[in-house]
Amino acid sequence: MPDAMFGSHVDVLRLSNSPGHGLMAVRPDGHVGCTCGAADAAGLNGWLGLIGAAASPASRL
């Protein structure tokens, strides 16, 4: 996923020393907010929309 895909409220960090294809979104308070077994950009963007960090898919229509 491109770093700029989710806007200015999201930082993308990659673990190069750990195998896998999933993703984890960590909230600013350190708690895990969203996890996916595969790099699911649509799922992450949907969660970001729910918390107000990105436009939700429904609001784009």
Side-chain angles (χ1 to χ4, degrees):
M1 285 185 260
D3 293 353
M5 183 175 192
F6 299 105
S8 62
H9 296 292
V10 177
D11 291 320
V12 177
L13 304 173
R14 291 176 177 80
L15 300 177
S16 59
N17 63 347
S18 180
H21 301 285
L23 64 82
M24 178 183 298
V26 180
R27 302 180 334 195
D29 63 2
H31 289 91
V32 174
C34 176
T35 61
C36 299
D40 179 11
L44 178 59
N45 203 36
W47 178 77
L48 290 169
L50 287 174
I51 65 166
S56 66
S59 68
R60 291 185 213 155
L61 298 175

